[in-house]
């Protein structure tokens, strides 16, 4: 799987949009961008994934650049409960294989 | 099903003792994964089952580690002769059969935190 690069940590004020960037310059044509988050003392939780079109669900939006070399996860109205480590992963969808996690971005939502 | 269950949530053991953890996946999920996570790091892959077959093992899974999924349902991870370096969170995840039309990824349990003293 392709590697990703994420900032180590970010702060965001409560109620504002949190924009988490991810670089994946070596992504292959059949690899999707997945985002997971891990709240303290819990297992990682799936957020969203996409191939090349922007995606939105009840949790977040995913914006993928046209060249697919980077993406941004957007939490539109961050709350204190969004404080977590966010992992950006690229992998082939439905591949019968393991997910490889990096260190992710530690997002602090400030009151 | 309420999700992936792991037992126990916390385990403190003395160095040299054996420990066993249990994972109950979501019932219709045929794939089961074990990960280990140390402080400040992302989860590291240990091993993977499809039904009862163990299909892949990481080099992190030394001879002291063994995992089983005898009936393709729950799984156990045993660590023999524990060492202080085994102290970590052990996470289990499961996922459904390949659908071909889109996967929502894994569902993780809350993990078992092992402390070796």
């Amino acid at each position: 799987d392709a590697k990703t690069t994420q900032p180590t940590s970010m702060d965001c004020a409560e109620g504002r949009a949190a924009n988490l960037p991810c670089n994946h310059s070596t992504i292959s044509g059949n690899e999707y961008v997945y985002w997971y988050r891990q709240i303290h003392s819990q297992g990682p939780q799936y957020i969203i994934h996409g191939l090349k079109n922007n995606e939105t669900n009840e949790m977040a939006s995913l914006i993928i650049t046209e060249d697919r070399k980077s993406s941004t996860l957007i939490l539109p109205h961050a709350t204190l409960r969004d404080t977590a480590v966010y992992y950006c992963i690229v992998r082939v969808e439905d591949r019968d294989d393991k997910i490889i996690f990096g260190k992710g971005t530690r997002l602090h939502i400030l009151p | 099903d309420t999700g992936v269950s792991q037992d126990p949530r916390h385990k403190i053991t003395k160095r040299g003792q054996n420990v066993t953890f249990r994972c109950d996946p979501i019932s219709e999920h045929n794939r089961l994964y074990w990960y280990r996570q140390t402080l400040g790091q992302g989860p590291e892959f240990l091993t993977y089952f499809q039904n009862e077959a163990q299909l892949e093992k990481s080099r992190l899974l030394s001879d002291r580690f063994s995992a089983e999924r005898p009936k393709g349902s729950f799984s156990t991870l045993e660590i023999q002769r524990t060492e202080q370096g085994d102290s970590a969170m052990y996470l289990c995840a499961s996922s459904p059969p390949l659908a071909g039309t889109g996967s929502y990824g894994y569902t993780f349990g809350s993990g078992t935190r092992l402390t070796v003293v």
Side-chain angles (χ1 to χ4, degrees):
Chain A
D1 289 350
K3 290 187 177 180
T4 62
T5 305
Q6 299 178 252
T8 302
S9 66
M10 294 181 61
D11 292 338
C12 178
E14 188 177 17
R16 306 295 294 268
N19 296 280
L20 292 92
C22 179
N23 288 319
H24 31 80
S25 58
T26 59
I27 191 170
S28 300
N30 62 344
E31 287 182 317
Y32 285 66
V33 181
Y34 281 78
W35 283 83
Y36 283 76
R37 74 178 182 184
Q38 187 173 22
I39 295 170
H40 183 62
S41 295
Q42 296 183 22
Q45 174 193 23
Y46 165 85
I47 301 174
I48 197 168
H49 76 293
L51 182 64
K52 53 184 177 181
N53 298 322
N54 298 337
E55 301 287 344
T56 296
N57 64 20
E58 65 277 4
M59 291 182 68
S61 295
L62 174 60
I63 308 298
I64 302 173
T65 57
E66 192 169 345
D67 64 7
R68 303 209 323 121
K69 293 184 177 182
S70 65
S71 60
T72 301
L73 179 74
I74 301 173
L75 309 178
H77 305 285
T79 71
L80 296 178
R81 288 175 295 182
D82 292 321
T83 293
V85 178
Y86 288 77
Y87 298 99
C88 171
I89 296 150
V90 294
R91 64 193 295 261
V92 177
E93 188 183 42
D94 277 347
R95 181 173 172 176
D96 190 14
D97 202 353
K98 57 191 177 288
I99 291 176
I100 304 296
F101 289 88
K103 292 187 178 181
T105 296
R106 187 169 296 276
L107 176 66
H108 299 274
I109 305 300
L110 307 175
Chain B
D1 261 330
T2 56
V4 177
S5 299
Q6 292 190 246
D7 183 70
R9 287 297 309 276
H10 303 274
K11 177 72 176 178
I12 300 174
T13 190
K14 291 184 178 180
R15 190 176 53 182
Q17 297 294 305
N18 299 344
V19 294
T20 300
F21 311 139
R22 177 179 170 124
C23 172
D24 286 273
I26 293 173
S27 58
E28 60 267 25
H29 286 187
N30 68 333
R31 294 179 287 173
L32 186 147
Y33 304 80
W34 284 99
Y35 283 78
R36 181 176 71 183
Q37 186 173 27
T38 53
L39 197 62
Q41 303 296 315
E44 298 173 294
F45 169 78
L46 291 178
T47 190
Y48 151 58
F49 290 86
Q50 181 169 299
N51 300 312
E52 65 275 10
Q54 189 173 16
L55 296 187
E56 187 174 353
K57 292 193 292 185
S58 162
R59 284 176 292 180
L60 294 174
L61 213 66
S62 74
D63 291 344
R64 296 184 298 105
F65 288 69
S66 63
E68 294 183 345
R69 194 182 183 200
K71 298 182 180 179
S73 56
F74 74 91
S75 176
T76 57
L77 178 67
E78 180 184 17
I79 309 175
Q80 296 181 329
R81 305 181 302 281
T82 52
E83 302 172 356
Q84 286 188 319
D86 297 331
S87 295
M89 174 77 83
Y90 290 85
L91 292 161
C92 176
S94 69
S95 64
L98 297 179
T101 58
S103 166
Y104 290 92
Y106 299 177
T107 301
F108 279 85
S110 295
T112 294
R113 181 166 297 283
L114 173 66
T115 302
V116 181
V117 298

